[in-house]
Amino acid sequence: MKVSISINGENVSRDVEPRQLLVHYIRETPGLTGTHWGCDTSNCGACVVLMDGKPVKSCTILAVMSEGHEIATVESLEVDGELDPIQAGFHEQHALHCGFCTPGMMMTARALLDENPDPTDHEIRTAISGGICRCTGYKNIVAAVRWAADHQAAAKQEA
Ligand code: FES
Ligand code: FES
C-alpha cells in the first residue's frame, strides 16, 4: 500500500507493507538513518522522533498510522549549518559516548524545551526516563539539556 508522510517538512511517498513500522519507513524511504533502531520493543528510546511536536517511539507506530502527521527526526535539528541548542549542549557537556541513544535523547529534550523552556533537573530526568543510555550515566545528558535551556533563554533575550 502507498504511504505518504511528511518528514522534516518534505512529503515522502512509498509502497510499503501495511505492517511496516515508522522507524523502518524513516530509515529506508528518505534514508534518514539518524533515527536509531535498538530494541524494537519500546524499551530503549533510541527511535524517538516527534509526531506533531510530541515525542513518540517510532518502533511502536506503523508507518500507515503516520499519514497526515508531521514527523521530525534528529536531522531536522540543524538548520543552515546552525546547531540546535540541544545539539550544542550535547557537544559542550560531553553528553554522548557511543551515540546510540543520542538521537532519541535529543528529540526528547527538544520536545521538553518546546513545552517547558526552563525545566528543573528532575523534570529533565523524568522527560528522558523513557530512554536508555549505557554509557553516560545520564548526568551529562541532564547537564546538556540544562545548557540548552540556559543558552536558548539567553539567545531569546538578545534577539
Ligand atoms: Fe524503539 Fe527501542 S527501538 S524503543
Ligand atoms: Fe552510548 Fe548513550 S551514549 S548509549
Side-chain angles (χ1 to χ4, degrees), residues 51-68:
M51 177 182 269
D52 302 328
K54 302 280 179 208
V56 294
K57 288 177 173 170
S58 59
C59 74
T60 65
I61 296 174
L62 296 172
V64 67
M65 292 162 70
S66 310
E67 279 204 318

Side-chain angles (χ1 to χ4, degrees), residues 95-102 105 132-136 141:
L96 63 138
H97 293 183
C98 79
F100 197 81
C101 72
T102 310
M105 289 290 182
I132 294 173
C133 177
R134 297 170 302 179
C135 309
T136 64
I141 296 177

